[in-house]
Amino acid sequence: MKIGLLPLLTSLSFSVWGQIDVNSYLGSYASDFEVNIIQKQREFLTSNNFNSPAIRELEFRLRSPQFSEAPDDFRFRVSPINPWERKANKNYTSLLNERMDIEEQVYFLQILSTRYHLLIRLLFIEKRLKFYTSFNDESRLLISTYSQMEGRVREVIQLRKSIFENNLRIDGLIGERNEAEYMISRHLNGDNKLLLTGFNTITPTQIQQELLLETESEESLLVLNEKNKLRLAESEWNINKSESFGNIGFFQAEYRSNRGDAFNENLGWQIGFQIPVFNKDNPDLQRRKLDLLEDEIEVKKVEEAVDLNKFEYRNRLKTLLKQYQNVEDELVLLESEFNTEDVAVLLELNDFKTSLNSEKIKLHQEILTIYVYWLSATSRLMGDPLIKQLSKEKTL
């Protein structure tokens, strides 16, 4: 999976008047520190490479039989680079580019996941604020009604107590909202504010259907990243191995002025080959090989951890969806089964409904939170094209 992340993200425009919509918030990450690091590394690779030259060294020698005499012996030596070393360095550059591609996507996945969780937090803070505010408004109407009835002091006190407790919750939620908005603003260059208007959250029913229709996803980016690290380490080992036999020999052209009168009589040549019998770097190579074995084990650990996370998130989602459905079913039953004008019963019924609706909001938030974790573990959170995973319409 390869995504042109930066061109996509930098093309997203901010809304005017200091507001930004959810689409831009989920896509505007080009200035984040981690991604800038990747970009600087890419710029370095563009202007530099790790390819070896064809020639290891050139050497020109002059020899004079006596300090006071002119040179009479000229030698020109060429030592080529080991061709396996050149191949290993070329392969290393290719693997390094691949690793940066995956790392860029891993960084994007982490940043996107963080923003989704902040978005969920803000969405449900607002939902709870509306819920408690609406409950208080209804309670005040009931207080106004019961105050005109005799013998309803207990109910009025109970309602006032609920309003007071809800006001404390509202104060706490306002503080949480300020914190969430501040954290979001750090991604939005300071003064911009996230605009939630028009954003319809995906329903638990949609998530349930998605779990039922789940197909095998691409390999996890975290696993791919670890595998690429291993391949890069193996490539470095191959470079070190080939460099340990870097001096494969030489070709030397010679000219000695005292061998004869004709020019070609003074020309000569030498050629030499290194016999790779002894390798002084072998102990270091063996230590590096041992590190590679540890890296292979680390890849297996990451694979197992990702598989476990996928199962745990999926299983948790199933449990939460079942609980959410039970709450909805109970609310439907309450609406249909109870029909009374008894004030005490009505208040008790209203408290039960309030408790169920509060639990419903809580479960919905937890479902979306685990859903994002599951999407991250399965690498579905990002894709080509990028879609708004928490949106009811599943678009971006």
Side-chain angles (χ1 to χ4, degrees):
M1 178 171 56
K2 177 68 171 70
I3 303 173
L5 300 178
L6 292 180
L8 168 68
L9 295 167
T10 53
S11 68
L12 294 171
S13 59
F14 289 91
S15 304
V16 295
W17 307 114
Q19 293 181 329
I20 182 173
D21 60 20
V22 173
N23 294 4
S24 298
Y25 170 62
L26 295 177
S28 58
Y29 92 114
S31 62
D32 280 346
F33 177 69
E34 296 92 340
V35 180
N36 282 339
I37 291 176
I38 296 292
Q39 288 306 300
K40 289 184 183 297
Q41 290 176 333
R42 285 193 181 280
E43 290 170 4
F44 178 83
L45 281 181
T46 301
S47 55
N48 303 273
N49 60 60
F50 297 92
N51 296 336
S52 302
I55 297 174
R56 183 170 62 85
E57 60 182 22
L58 293 174
E59 186 177 341
F60 182 68
R61 296 183 180 183
L62 297 88
R63 179 180 178 275
S64 174
Q66 294 184 13
F67 187 75
S68 59
E69 295 183 10
D72 61 358
D73 188 343
F74 303 88
R75 302 182 184 188
F76 180 74
R77 176 178 291 190
V78 177
S79 299
I81 280 283
N82 182 342
W84 292 278
E85 181 182 340
R86 294 194 69 197
K87 183 179 179 180
N89 273 306
K90 186 176 181 180
N91 184 55
Y92 178 84
T93 302
S94 175
L95 289 174
L96 188 59
N97 276 304
E98 288 182 28
R99 178 182 172 183
M100 286 187 180
D101 288 340
I102 297 298
E103 281 189 340
E104 186 178 50
Q105 293 176 64
V106 170
Y107 281 134
F108 182 36
L109 180 63
Q110 293 170 347
I111 293 167
L112 197 57
S113 178
T114 298
R115 295 194 177 191
Y116 268 114
H117 287 300
L118 282 173
L119 175 61
I120 291 170
R121 182 181 176 187
L122 184 59
L123 281 169
F124 281 87
I125 287 173
E126 295 290 353
K127 183 169 285 192
R128 282 191 173 86
L129 282 171
K130 290 179 181 178
F131 173 74
Y132 289 127
T133 301
S134 176
F135 178 84
N136 283 355
D137 290 342
E138 292 175 2
S139 296
R140 290 188 182 96
L141 288 175
L142 290 174
I143 289 174
S144 177
T145 301
Y146 294 156
S147 296
Q148 300 174 12
M149 300 180 182
E150 293 184 5
R152 297 303 177 189
V153 177
R154 186 186 299 274
E155 286 79 4
V156 170
I157 293 174
Q158 184 178 342
L159 287 168
R160 290 186 62 178
K161 177 186 176 184
S162 297
I163 291 173
F164 178 79
E165 290 173 346
N166 283 341
N167 283 335
L168 292 180
R169 295 187 183 103
I170 288 171
D171 291 339
L173 286 169
I174 291 173
E176 288 185 33
R177 182 177 63 185
N178 292 338
E179 181 181 334
E181 287 179 341
Y182 172 75
M183 293 175 70
I184 289 173
S185 72
R186 292 172 64 87
H187 301 149
L188 304 178
N189 300 320
D191 295 330
N192 289 292
K193 185 175 181 180
L194 184 60
L195 185 64
L196 299 177
T197 305
F199 182 77
N200 297 315
T201 310
I202 186 173
T203 65
T205 302
Q206 285 178 284
I207 295 175
Q208 179 72 59
Q209 292 171 348
E210 193 170 327
L211 287 177
L212 293 174
L213 299 174
E214 180 189 7
T215 56
E216 189 64 28
S217 61
E218 296 184 30
E219 190 169 24
S220 167
L221 286 175
L222 296 177
V223 174
L224 280 176
N225 194 37
E226 287 300 319
K227 286 184 176 180
N228 274 16
K229 288 179 183 179
L230 176 60
R231 291 172 63 197
L232 197 63
E234 290 172 340
S235 179
E236 287 186 56
W237 184 84
N238 286 328
I239 291 173
N240 292 327
K241 182 180 178 182
S242 58
E243 284 179 345
S244 65
F245 292 109
N247 185 9
I248 62 173
F250 67 90
F251 173 80
Q252 180 170 291
E254 301 177 349
Y255 178 80
R256 295 180 181 178
S257 61
N258 57 4
R259 287 184 174 180
D261 296 329
F263 179 77
N264 59 353
E265 292 178 350
N266 296 319
L267 292 177
W269 59 271
Q270 292 184 39
I271 189 169
F273 296 99
Q274 183 181 18
I275 302 175
V277 176
F278 307 103
N279 186 358
K280 64 181 179 61
D281 295 325
N282 190 61
D284 184 56
L285 287 171
Q286 295 303 319
R287 285 190 291 269
R288 291 174 182 266
K289 191 69 174 179
L290 186 61
D291 291 338
L292 286 178
L293 295 176
E294 294 179 359
D295 291 341
E296 290 177 4
I297 295 173
E298 189 62 31
V299 171
K300 294 295 183 183
K301 288 181 179 179
V302 172
E303 286 179 324
E304 291 177 2
V306 169
D307 286 340
L308 180 60
N309 284 338
K310 287 180 183 179
F311 172 79
E312 288 180 343
Y313 295 143
R314 199 175 193 280
N315 187 62
R316 180 63 179 153
L317 272 176
K318 288 181 178 180
T319 302
L320 290 169
L321 288 167
K322 184 177 181 180
Q323 292 174 329
Y324 185 88
Q325 187 61 50
N326 289 338
V327 171
E328 283 203 319
D329 292 343
E330 187 64 25
L331 282 169
V332 171
L333 287 174
L334 288 178
E335 291 293 337
S336 60
E337 288 188 354
F338 294 94
N339 185 14
T340 179
E341 295 182 358
D342 188 298
V343 174
V345 174
L346 286 174
L347 283 178
E348 192 71 26
L349 182 61
N350 191 55
D351 284 345
F352 191 18
K353 288 181 180 179
T354 300
S355 177
L356 287 173
N357 280 309
S358 178
E359 186 66 23
K360 183 178 175 181
I361 294 173
K362 176 185 174 183
L363 286 169
H364 193 184
Q365 180 176 3
E366 193 170 355
I367 287 170
L368 293 186
T369 300
I370 301 300
Y371 177 62
V372 169
Y373 282 131
W374 178 68
L375 289 173
S376 297
T378 57
S379 298
R380 287 180 170 89
L381 192 62
M382 52 182 288
D384 191 5
L386 185 69
I387 62 175
K388 193 166 46 178
Q389 295 287 358
L390 289 185
S391 169
K392 188 175 183 180
E393 297 80 18
K394 283 275 187 175
T395 59
L396 182 54

